[in-house]
Amino acid sequence: MEKIKQSLTLLLIIFFMFFSSFAQGHKNYIVHVSKTHKPPIYGTHHQWYISILTSLPPPHDTKKLLYTYQHSFHGFVAHLTETQALILPNIPGILKVAQERTGYLHTTRTPDFLGLTELSGLWTNSNYGEEVIIGVLDTGVWPESESFNDDGLSPVPEKWKGECMSGPDFPVSSCNKKLIGAKFFVKAYEAKYGAINDSVQSRSPRDTDGHGTHTASIAAGSVVKNAGYYDLVRGEARGIATKARVAVYKICWAEDCAEGDILAALEQAVDDGVDIISISIGRGSGLEYDDDAFAIGALRAVQKGILVTCSAGNDGLKTKKTPEHVAPWILTVGASSIDRDFRADVILGDGTMYRGVSLYSGEPLGPSYYPLVYAGNHGHRLCAGNSLSKAVKGKIVLCDGGINSNSQKARVVKEAGGVGMILANNLYTGPGGPADEHVLPATMVDPTAGNTIRNYIKSQPSGNATIIFKGMVIGGNPTIPAPLVAQFSSRGPNRVTPEILKPDLIAPGVNILASWTGASIPPLKFNISSGTSMACPHVSGIAALLRKAYPEWSPAAIKSALMTTAYNADNTGKTIRDFTTLNESTPFDRGSGHVDPNKALDPGLVYDLGVNDYIGFLCSIGYTESRISVMVHDQNINCSTVGLASPGDLNYPSFSVVFKPATNKVTQRRVVKNVGKSENVVYDVKVSSPPSINIDINPSRLVFSPEKQILSYEVTFTALGDQTKDALPEFGWIEWSDGFHRVRSPVAFTWGKGSVASI
Ligand SMILES: *[C@@H]1O[C@H](CO)[C@@H](O)[C@H](O)[C@H]1NC(C)=O
Ligand SMILES: *[C@@H]1O[C@H](CO)[C@@H](O)[C@H](O)[C@H]1NC(C)=O
Ligand SMILES: *[C@@H]1O[C@H](CO)[C@@H](O)[C@H](O)[C@H]1NC(C)=O
Ligand SMILES: *[C@@H]1O[C@H](CO)[C@@H](O)[C@H](O)[C@H]1NC(C)=O
Ligand SMILES: *[C@@H]1O[C@H](CO)[C@@H](O)[C@H](O)[C@H]1NC(C)=O
């Protein structure tokens, strides 16, 4: 066996000595090494790795050993030729050699997952959003973070009217050509909670929480070489609109984000001249528009041409909880997973393996197996506070998921003397799921694996196990299905106005690496976090790129481009699934689909809207002129002149149809504008409808000409047969295409039980 291997190696060497004179490109390789194979003559693993590398055929370069790892896995990353990488696996002790995927893609990953490249598409067509200003309303910013370096940026845009508040904890030097503005809003908060205690939080734009620094760096973080999270991820990190400018408005403090401060910050951002506003902060679902500071402030922003992007909320499938920020003038973003995992697999004594995820980054378990016990037999199945008996000492403990937090369970196991923890989640947590930091070697497996492991313990009282920490895995084998709608992402229907489908779309929000506050314990430059809070700034960054590419587009046109070009199939070609159930997701979960930046650059048609349309919409849902004037105070409002026949007539890029009792027919109107390269173009419509509903479009062909760049159509939805009022929601879609562009809108059907607003 050994012999065959050697001759094969020799053959390869000969082949590559010939070949490598043509292609002597170096690439980064991740080399997994068996810890115990280190020959005793080497004092450290590092010395051993250097000697391995010098034993390879030339060229030799002392700098090719880039990193040595000893925590999440054993091994190193080296810059090697293909020939060298091919020979490496034959050296005793080398377990696996894998080519690293290009630079930054490894670290932040999401730009690559979104299809953004340096070669073509939205990045190159927008010069990375240079000159565009993104206002981030959040917990402030850690200005020293490398994500806000301004290397190579042009001067601060002239239109910028904002300022950088300085003070003892926020020197003038905190701002630069990247972080062009920073302000804090605390009056309303202090009125409510008393004066800020400076020794606990910073009375300045400084972020002592981490959330604001994370979201701002996702939207517009500059390129940072050698970023990482412990040893789990290393490489280049970057935001979406790498050259866009950031203006930070700190509105959230230890207890709360006060409504007065929110409104003041929104006003300020508009006056300062931002182009995009990104809000990853919620106030709960179900708020009326004129009772919601975000909706009120956002309408004014939209009136001034500023797009407002908000997170949909993290209420997942909880009943009665629905998306937040549902105003039709806001772009509402749900969260999805990407094709990357932080893998930590369980191997049982019987040799079976179960996929798990973990952000644990300390010393891994030794190579041997440890006795495995179930927490339910030794105190409390949930590993709740101080519940475990000392019998778990030196053992791996299987805890059930739910109730108390995952990281608390790990602390309880550690305090009882356990060496490791396997968390059997009560929801599907498999590939692509959010991973947690832990105080001891711990991983999380999905319910099916949890059941199998529980049964193994029952049948093998002296059973054993180990956890193998594999670090970051992209793509995976079998493939990590992606995107999936994240389990925590808030789902429709829209409780405030059922005729508007929300969320609008989904974007990456699971295990996102971005900058963090330096005030954290331990201090972290970068951290991994999950939530719709992380999804929103991805879309804010993409919107900034589109704003740069099309300076004349309205916020609604940008939003339309993002929605009608979103995709709905995952990397296996099937409809995007829901993480929790692995069932197909619906437009209530994913809205128009997953954002597709490069497609949004060329949407073909857009559904445009202006502030008068929103006023007409508010009239149509029964708001009086005086209620509306609370939100729009610089113009006279007369609902009998601007009102829409129904809220469903708002020129929205998606459809939500509510069949009221005794009505089986609903008609909605839309207007589309040709924004494609050709003025003479013909679009035909295609629909998909559930069997119980008929969709009729008139006209079904739109012929655009230089004189006619804006055309309208009417859709009639007819429910066939007898629909009981308890009927489940149904879904379909409408797609206009000229053979090249596909302008697609999802349709949701629900059956109202009385008034329009009660669903
Ligand atoms: C501020 O917080 C510190 C630390 O918790 C505490 O010792 C101090 O008494 C607080 N000051 C006031 C005025 O509350
Ligand atoms: C673990 O369990 C397997 C299967 O029962 C057994 O063969 C092995 O010896 C055990 N290892 C340890 C370290 O107990
Ligand atoms: C990193 O982020 C996670 C998720 O937001 C948080 O729970 C954790 O406390 C953060 N780590 C530090 C050191 O602040
Ligand atoms: C998922 O699909 C299965 C099979 O079609 C179905 O029985 C189950 O109710 C679905 N789960 C949810 C939460 O919709
Ligand atoms: C609103 O418009 C209608 C129709 O043009 C008009 O009759 C009415 O007087 C207007 N109301 C106000 C308050 O201006």
Side-chain angles (χ1 to χ4, degrees):
M1 179 65 200
E2 199 53 63
K3 224 174 175 148
I4 295 170
K5 218 173 175 183
Q6 270 168 18
S7 53
L8 190 73
T9 309
L10 211 67
L11 248 172
L12 283 170
I13 292 173
I14 293 163
F15 173 70
F16 274 100
M17 274 159 76
F18 170 73
F19 192 72
S20 58
S21 56
F22 295 96
Q24 207 35 287
H26 286 65
K27 290 196 173 97
N28 288 350
Y29 290 88
I30 300 167
V31 184
H32 297 257
V33 179
S34 158
K35 189 184 181 180
T36 49
H37 269 75
K38 178 176 76 65
I41 54 162
Y42 300 109
T44 65
H45 279 81
H46 187 81
Q47 287 164 355
W48 178 37
Y49 301 156
I50 290 191
S51 112
I52 290 174
L53 292 178
T54 21
S55 75
L56 296 174
H60 289 133
D61 173 358
T62 49
K63 277 189 262 165
K64 70 188 170 189
L65 179 60
L66 302 174
Y67 295 105
T68 301
Y69 297 87
Q70 43 199 327
H71 294 309
S72 354
F73 76 97
H74 271 272
F76 56 92
V77 173
H79 200 54
L80 303 173
T81 65
E82 216 164 322
T83 319
Q84 293 172 330
L86 269 165
I87 293 165
L88 209 42
N90 300 303
I91 294 172
I94 304 284
L95 298 175
K96 187 182 160 194
V97 178
Q99 192 187 315
E100 185 193 52
R101 310 205 178 197
T102 37
Y104 66 83
L105 311 176
H106 237 117
T107 319
T108 15
R109 179 69 190 152
T110 47
D112 184 46
F113 185 73
L114 289 164
L116 291 166
T117 88
E118 312 253 359
L119 303 174
S120 64
L122 190 53
W123 262 352
T124 54
N125 280 274
S126 66
N127 193 23
Y128 304 87
E130 185 148 33
E131 308 285 296
V132 181
I133 305 167
I134 306 180
V136 181
L137 274 66
D138 211 298
T139 62
V141 68
W142 192 261
E144 293 80 10
S145 160
E146 291 165 83
S147 290
F148 307 112
N149 81 66
D150 63 357
D151 295 349
L153 284 185
S154 57
V156 172
E158 271 173 28
K159 65 182 176 192
W160 176 240
K161 297 198 286 281
E163 60 168 320
C164 189
M165 271 181 176
S166 58
D169 199 24
F170 207 83
V172 181
S173 61
S174 299
C175 287
N176 60 12
K177 290 180 284 179
K178 167 55 90 179
L179 182 62
I180 61 172
K183 284 199 175 124
F184 65 90
F185 296 82
V186 75
K187 281 185 205 154
Y189 180 86
E190 287 191 327
K192 210 164 151 188
Y193 296 96
I196 295 278
N197 184 339
D198 266 315
S199 65
V200 180
Q201 26 181 350
S202 176
R203 205 173 186 287
S204 81
R206 182 170 295 279
D207 174 20
T208 51
D209 177 274
H211 192 271
T213 305
H214 207 260
T215 54
S217 62
I218 290 170
S222 298
V223 175
V224 181
K225 312 261 183 215
N226 192 17
Y229 176 78
Y230 298 104
D231 282 342
L232 281 178
V233 208
R234 281 265 147 223
E236 200 168 281
R238 68 193 305 168
I240 298 296
T242 340
K243 291 191 181 174
R245 318 307 168 103
V246 177
V248 159
Y249 301 85
K250 179 171 170 181
I251 52 168
C252 294
W253 304 84
E255 307 289 334
D256 194 6
C257 325
E259 189 154 18
D261 296 329
I262 294 168
L263 277 171
L266 275 165
E267 295 255 333
Q268 188 68 59
V270 171
D271 293 343
D272 285 350
V274 303
D275 299 296
I276 307 287
I277 293 177
S278 188
I279 300 172
S280 293
I281 304 284
R283 293 195 60 231
S285 60
L287 292 177
E288 282 294 334
Y289 306 117
D290 57 347
D291 192 26
D292 177 356
F294 287 118
I296 295 169
L299 184 55
R300 177 164 175 266
V302 167
Q303 204 176 353
K304 306 275 180 198
I306 302 163
L307 178 69
V308 182
T309 315
C310 295
S311 48
N314 298 330
D315 285 318
L317 289 165
K318 278 180 212 160
T319 47
K320 302 237 172 78
K321 293 283 187 175
T322 50
E324 302 183 31
H325 299 301
V326 293
W329 49 89
I330 287 174
L331 178 50
T332 316
V333 186
S336 55
S337 61
I338 60 171
D339 59 348
R340 171 170 81 178
D341 263 345
F342 295 94
R343 280 277 289 281
D345 294 346
V346 173
I347 302 179
L348 298 183
D350 63 7
T352 54
M353 193 185 84
Y354 304 88
R355 293 212 281 194
V357 292
S358 176
L359 293 179
Y360 173 71
S361 57
E363 277 297 317
L365 289 170
S368 59
Y369 286 59
Y370 295 86
L372 175 65
V373 293
Y374 177 46
N377 301 333
H378 297 280
H380 198 294
R381 65 176 191 91
L382 294 170
C383 296
N386 292 328
S387 61
L388 295 182
S389 79
K390 296 293 172 207
V392 307
K393 193 168 188 310
K395 297 175 181 162
I396 295 179
V397 182
L398 176 72
C399 305
D400 288 348
I403 316 288
N404 51 333
S405 81
N406 296 347
S407 41
Q408 197 219 346
K409 293 172 198 283
R411 275 197 298 276
V412 170
V413 171
K414 187 175 181 166
E415 276 155 25
V419 295
M421 176 184 77
I422 300 167
L423 182 79
N425 212 34
N426 47 354
L427 295 173
Y428 173 76
T429 51
D436 303 298
E437 264 188 286
H438 292 293
V439 293
L440 87 173
T443 189
M444 175 162 73
V445 297
D446 65 42
T448 326
N451 289 339
T452 314
I453 299 171
R454 234 177 265 115
N455 287 336
Y456 168 79
I457 296 172
K458 215 183 269 172
S459 67
Q460 299 273 335
S462 60
N464 58 33
T466 189
I467 305 169
I468 307 288
F469 292 88
K470 296 183 170 169
M472 184 177 64
V473 173
I474 292 175
N477 182 23
T479 308
I480 299 167
L484 296 165
V485 178
Q487 68 268 54
F488 53 76
S489 191
S490 290
R491 319 301 168 96
N494 175 343
R495 224 164 10 128
V496 185
T497 313
E499 290 84 354
I500 303 294
L501 183 63
K502 290 282 177 173
D504 290 313
L505 42 72
I506 52 172
V510 177
N511 296 334
I512 304 299
L513 181 99
S515 282
W516 201 244
T517 171
S520 67
I521 301 166
L524 285 179
K525 287 186 169 177
F526 287 82
N527 193 4
I528 295 170
S529 195
S530 299
T532 52
S533 285
M534 283 70 237
C536 166
H538 276 96
V539 177
S540 310
I542 295 165
L545 300 171
L546 279 179
R547 159 56 69 235
K548 172 73 181 183
Y550 299 108
E552 72 287 1
W553 280 13
S554 69
I558 293 178
K559 185 172 155 178
S560 173
L562 290 167
M563 288 169 66
T564 61
T565 58
Y567 64 87
N568 290 277
D570 68 10
N571 58 0
T572 68
K574 301 207 179 88
T575 299
I576 293 173
R577 285 175 289 168
D578 186 312
F579 195 97
T580 314
T581 58
L582 285 187
N583 287 354
E584 273 189 11
S585 67
T586 73
F588 277 167
D589 310 319
R590 64 176 195 273
S592 292
H594 192 279
V595 67
D596 191 343
N598 295 327
K599 282 271 169 60
L601 184 60
D602 185 13
L605 306 178
V606 293
Y607 293 84
D608 208 353
L609 284 165
V611 73
N612 283 331
D613 300 295
Y614 298 124
I615 294 171
F617 161 81
L618 290 169
C619 294
S620 76
I621 57 169
Y623 276 42
T624 59
E625 279 94 349
S626 65
R627 269 180 90 179
I628 298 171
S629 60
V630 168
M631 313 178 70
V632 187
H633 27 76
D634 52 1
Q635 68 190 76
N636 287 326
I637 292 153
N638 186 339
C639 280
S640 52
T641 58
V642 295
L644 296 175
S646 112
D649 276 341
L650 185 70
N651 200 35
Y652 212 67
S654 60
F655 294 82
S656 180
V657 179
V658 183
F659 291 109
K660 286 180 239 168
T663 332
N664 69 340
K665 216 184 257 295
V666 171
T667 300
Q668 297 189 354
R669 280 147 284 264
R670 291 293 186 272
V671 178
V672 280
K673 184 171 167 187
N674 177 26
V675 295
K677 285 187 186 69
S678 170
E679 290 184 319
N680 292 298
V681 63
V682 177
Y683 277 83
D684 286 307
V685 78
K686 252 191 350 202
V687 302
S688 162
S689 61
S692 59
I693 289 156
N694 192 53
I695 302 180
D696 189 41
I697 307 212
N698 186 27
S700 59
R701 165 169 284 194
L702 297 173
V703 182
F704 293 91
S705 63
E707 303 75 47
K708 285 194 169 150
Q709 290 294 288
I710 297 176
L711 295 171
S712 59
Y713 68 93
E714 210 175 75
V715 197
T716 303
F717 304 98
T718 313
L720 310 168
D722 184 29
Q723 288 294 341
T724 68
K725 54 184 183 175
D726 293 324
L728 291 171
E730 305 248 30
F731 304 95
W733 48 259
I734 294 172
E735 182 183 287
W736 291 94
S737 181
D738 61 353
F740 175 69
H741 300 96
R742 289 153 58 115
V743 188
R744 183 171 155 134
S745 302
V747 190
F749 301 96
T750 48
W751 281 264
K753 290 178 187 159
S755 82
V756 174
S758 66
I759 189 162

